[in-house]
Amino acid sequence: MASMSLTLAVDLGGTHIRTASYNDESITPISRYRTRTNAREPGVFDRLAQAIENVWNDDVTSMGVASPGPLDPYTGTILATPNIPEWRNFPLAQKLSARFGVPVHLDNDANMAGFGEWTFGAGKGHHNLVYLTISTGVGGGVICNDALLQGFHGLATELGHMIIDPDGPPCGCGKNGHVESFSSGTAIARYTTEQIQAGQKTSLQLDGAALTAKQIADSALAGDSLAISAFARAGQYLGIAVANYLAIFDPSIVIFGGGVSQVGDLLFKPFEKSLYEHTFHPHYLDNLVITKAALGDDVGLLGALAWARFKRNNESTRAE
Amino acid sequence: MASMSLTLAVDLGGTHIRTASYNDESITPISRYRTRTNAREPGVFDRLAQAIENVWNDDVTSMGVASPGPLDPYTGTILATPNIPEWRNFPLAQKLSARFGVPVHLDNDANMAGFGEWTFGAGKGHHNLVYLTISTGVGGGVICNDALLQGFHGLATELGHMIIDPDGPPCGCGKNGHVESFSSGTAIARYTTEQIQAGQKTSLQLDGAALTAKQIADSALAGDSLAISAFARAGQYLGIAVANYLAIFDPSIVIFGGGVSQVGDLLFKPFEKSLYEHTFHPHYLDNLVITKAALGDDVGLLGALAWARFKRNNESTRAE
């Protein structure tokens, strides 16, 4: 009689910790749990361990974790993530593995989301895929030649931190002119705020609380021209960024995830115009698919699930 | 008795056609030949075929070709290369295969050079490699996870055509602000010429003929401050470009080839300063090797040789 084998998936986000356990062959969880991360308060690891306990089952044989980076996926160590100040060179995979007694496979959230979309979502069957998440930041995950691109230190495909204008605005990371400093939700809000402070007319109000990309999107949809131009600018630079990713990776599909990518034409009409204008050679666009992510809020969990299964299959093959 | 099997390699350059034939296991040619391409005059294919005839041997079982791009390596078609105006959608591999009766494997010169350095040169044993050639243009070849990155259309790793400043100077390709428009020999010469025309003091003379990067390097080595600043500027932007390649590919080695990369500290001191300043996270630099190409003028031939052997081994494995 074949023993049952379950996989446990963890999506450790800046706001929420999500956990779920899955039977083999299924992407519908047996059990799932969600709690607040409270990332800036002590005890993140204990909250995480408790969230895992809540979906634990003794048939679990491996665990996958999608975590904020930068991190070292080969050792499972979080280097230093801005969201969780108490973790510096924190051996997360090792600690989870010691506590739960199963192998733990870790990579950053964008890589896991890209791997999830490739395995279960919009990118199934593609051999060269670029996944981009546009939310408060900009992250990327890339499949080249049917393999996740991780790189020598496991730090590959930090696509949001590609410099597209050395004199551009500051990025959350402290450098300047990154894709993230033009096209993230944070960048859209900062640009809009600066324009209001400079006297641009708008229906938006600066009343002490920081503007959000969501508020600006609502104003844009109501016809506010500053709000429209803020998304147009983000889309213009996103087109430059993706033209670069085409020249670099030549993918057959580009997948957009993340909250800001939900705004639709506000961002993507200017994006498309800019992409066509900046693409190095028109042949890159032949049969190229540009599409939205398919896995929704579960993309982190499903990516971690896909990765844990992949690593288990890969390592058992090697051991034979 | 095992039959002998030879590989024929072709390096089709803008200036010279080089051909050579090699025994298995050896990278020392049995015979070699070099002639002028005369790329802008009719008859390039006939000159190429003749150069192959001159090293032909009936034991040749496959042929590798390093050619200027853009090209489709999967069909062996040259799309349109600025150097050879008579070739537009030119089925080079198919025509050579029909004429010589052996499989012909084609990819662009920078990809073949990168593959050559990985197989026989400075990049042996690395799993993630970035090769950059800095000459009249800037080209790239990348190994990810022990495989040449070619992409969906075979157009991946056009690293010289990454946009690093949308308002930057024009590139030879017609777009603006590419790495090539800042850091190639052509860009160094154009910048210097513009500065002289704008009245900058220099020992260099504009006497009708276009300045070359070589002349500017000579002046820089003699202490000319404009010439020094032209290389410093190229190195500064090259540092930005390589910081991007680190964030994107996270290689364990970056290899520089091409004539302009021979100038040494003039370019590479400012490059290093800029690279450290612009690298997204210091961990990318841990144990990173930055080095010169090892294969010299034979890099195209040896890349084509390595590729033809790789394809033969790969395809015979598949056929089994």
Side-chain angles (χ1 to χ4, degrees):
Chain A
M1 202 177 82
S3 71
M4 200 147 95
S5 167
L6 303 188
T7 305
L8 199 144
V10 176
D11 178 11
L12 174 59
T15 312
H16 289 105
I17 297 167
R18 289 179 169 86
T19 53
S21 55
Y22 298 85
N23 263 322
D24 271 357
E25 314 298 327
S26 173
I27 62 168
T28 305
I30 300 174
S31 66
R32 59 187 302 159
Y33 180 75
R34 194 178 87 152
T35 188
R36 295 192 72 83
T37 309
N38 296 327
R40 301 195 161 273
E41 292 164 32
V44 175
F45 183 77
D46 291 336
R47 287 192 286 285
L48 173 62
Q50 187 58 53
I52 293 169
E53 292 283 2
N54 289 351
V55 300
W56 183 258
N57 178 309
D58 287 342
D59 294 321
V60 168
T61 57
S62 71
M63 195 185 301
V65 181
S67 161
L71 56 79
D72 181 337
Y74 305 125
T75 62
T77 304
I78 311 294
L79 300 181
T81 180
N83 286 332
I84 308 173
E86 71 174 347
W87 288 3
R88 290 287 176 274
N89 297 313
F90 187 79
L92 179 58
Q94 190 187 319
K95 287 178 77 94
L96 287 174
S97 190
R99 171 117 172 209
F100 292 97
V102 297
V104 175
H105 306 289
L106 179 71
D107 207 334
N108 76 55
D109 36 22
N111 282 5
M112 292 294 84
F115 196 79
E117 289 287 340
W118 180 59
T119 309
F120 302 127
K124 271 197 287 192
H126 287 263
H127 308 294
N128 293 279
L129 172 157
V130 170
Y131 171 85
L132 269 181
T133 173
I134 322 279
S135 58
T136 52
V138 174
V142 173
I143 306 292
C144 289
N145 296 327
D146 286 318
L148 182 68
L149 177 50
Q150 294 183 292
F152 176 45
H153 311 87
L155 292 175
T157 72
E158 286 285 356
L159 301 187
H161 298 286
M162 177 174 68
I163 301 160
I164 51 175
D165 180 353
D167 301 318
C171 185
C173 72
K175 307 283 184 183
N176 282 75
H178 290 179
V179 178
E180 180 166 313
S181 47
F182 289 106
S183 301
S184 64
T186 311
I188 292 166
R190 193 198 46 239
Y191 172 79
T192 306
T193 304
E194 287 170 359
Q195 294 299 308
I196 297 172
Q197 287 165 342
Q200 280 278 322
K201 285 176 66 174
T202 174
S203 59
L204 288 157
Q205 305 275 328
L206 291 185
D207 56 2
L211 283 177
T212 65
K214 177 74 175 65
Q215 290 172 308
I216 300 164
D218 290 343
S219 291
L221 292 171
D224 184 84
S225 63
L226 173 62
I228 291 169
S229 74
F231 277 94
R233 177 174 177 276
Q236 157 82 2
Y237 281 98
L238 191 60
I240 291 169
V242 174
N244 281 354
Y245 307 143
L246 298 189
I248 289 165
F249 295 116
D250 186 16
S252 54
I253 186 166
V254 178
I255 302 174
F256 286 101
V260 175
S261 72
Q262 304 298 313
V263 302
D265 285 355
L266 272 180
L267 184 70
F268 286 103
K269 286 284 176 197
F271 158 75
E272 280 180 19
K273 182 166 178 296
S274 172
L275 177 63
Y276 294 134
E277 188 184 323
H278 289 101
T279 294
F280 164 51
H281 192 286
H283 194 36
Y284 287 100
L285 302 169
D286 291 347
N287 301 307
L288 174 68
V289 178
I290 298 180
T291 189
K292 278 196 206 173
L295 302 180
D297 284 347
D298 279 356
V299 68
L301 282 177
L302 290 173
L305 170 66
W307 188 241
R309 285 182 182 165
F310 170 79
K311 294 296 279 186
R312 188 175 57 207
N313 294 338
N314 201 253
E315 282 166 14
S316 62
T317 305
R318 278 195 199 165
E320 271 163 16
Chain B
M1 202 176 84
S3 72
M4 202 147 95
S5 167
L6 303 189
T7 305
L8 199 145
V10 176
D11 178 10
L12 174 58
T15 311
H16 289 106
I17 297 168
R18 290 180 168 85
T19 53
S21 55
Y22 299 84
N23 264 321
D24 270 358
E25 314 297 328
S26 173
I27 62 168
T28 305
I30 300 175
S31 66
R32 60 188 302 160
Y33 181 76
R34 194 179 89 151
T35 187
R36 294 192 72 82
T37 311
N38 295 328
R40 301 196 161 271
E41 292 164 30
V44 175
F45 183 77
D46 292 336
R47 286 190 287 283
L48 173 61
Q50 185 58 52
I52 293 169
E53 290 285 1
N54 290 352
V55 299
W56 183 258
N57 178 309
D58 286 342
D59 294 322
V60 168
T61 58
S62 71
M63 195 185 302
V65 181
S67 160
L71 56 81
D72 182 337
Y74 304 126
T75 63
T77 304
I78 311 295
L79 301 181
T81 180
N83 285 332
I84 308 175
E86 70 174 350
W87 288 4
R88 288 288 175 275
N89 297 313
F90 187 79
L92 179 58
Q94 190 186 319
K95 287 178 77 92
L96 287 175
S97 191
R99 170 119 173 206
F100 292 97
V102 297
V104 174
H105 306 289
L106 181 70
D107 207 332
N108 76 55
D109 34 23
N111 282 4
M112 292 295 82
F115 196 80
E117 288 287 340
W118 181 57
T119 310
F120 302 126
K124 273 196 287 190
H126 287 264
H127 308 295
N128 293 279
L129 170 157
V130 170
Y131 170 84
L132 269 181
T133 171
I134 321 278
S135 59
T136 53
V138 174
V142 173
I143 306 293
C144 288
N145 296 327
D146 286 317
L148 181 68
L149 177 50
Q150 294 183 291
F152 177 45
H153 309 88
L155 292 174
T157 71
E158 286 286 355
L159 301 187
H161 299 284
M162 177 174 69
I163 300 161
I164 51 175
D165 180 353
D167 301 318
C171 185
C173 73
K175 306 283 183 184
N176 283 76
H178 290 178
V179 179
E180 180 166 314
S181 46
F182 289 105
S183 302
S184 64
T186 311
I188 292 166
R190 193 198 45 243
Y191 172 80
T192 306
T193 303
E194 287 169 1
Q195 294 299 309
I196 296 172
Q197 287 165 344
Q200 281 278 323
K201 285 175 69 175
T202 176
S203 58
L204 287 157
Q205 306 276 329
L206 291 185
D207 56 2
L211 282 176
T212 66
K214 178 73 175 64
Q215 289 172 309
I216 300 163
D218 290 343
S219 291
L221 293 171
D224 184 84
S225 64
L226 173 62
I228 291 168
S229 74
F231 276 94
R233 178 174 176 275
Q236 156 83 2
Y237 281 97
L238 190 60
I240 291 169
V242 174
N244 281 354
Y245 307 142
L246 298 189
I248 289 165
F249 295 116
D250 185 16
S252 53
I253 185 167
V254 177
I255 302 173
F256 286 100
V260 175
S261 71
Q262 302 300 313
V263 302
D265 285 355
L266 272 181
L267 184 69
F268 286 104
K269 286 283 174 195
F271 158 76
E272 278 179 21
K273 182 166 179 294
S274 173
L275 177 63
Y276 295 133
E277 186 184 324
H278 290 102
T279 294
F280 165 51
H281 193 287
H283 194 34
Y284 287 100
L285 302 170
D286 290 347
N287 301 307
L288 173 68
V289 178
I290 299 180
T291 190
K292 278 198 206 174
L295 302 180
D297 284 347
D298 278 357
V299 69
L301 282 176
L302 291 173
L305 170 68
W307 188 242
R309 284 182 181 165
F310 170 80
K311 295 297 278 186
R312 187 176 57 207
N313 295 338
N314 201 252
E315 281 165 15
S316 62
T317 306
R318 278 194 199 166
E320 271 162 18

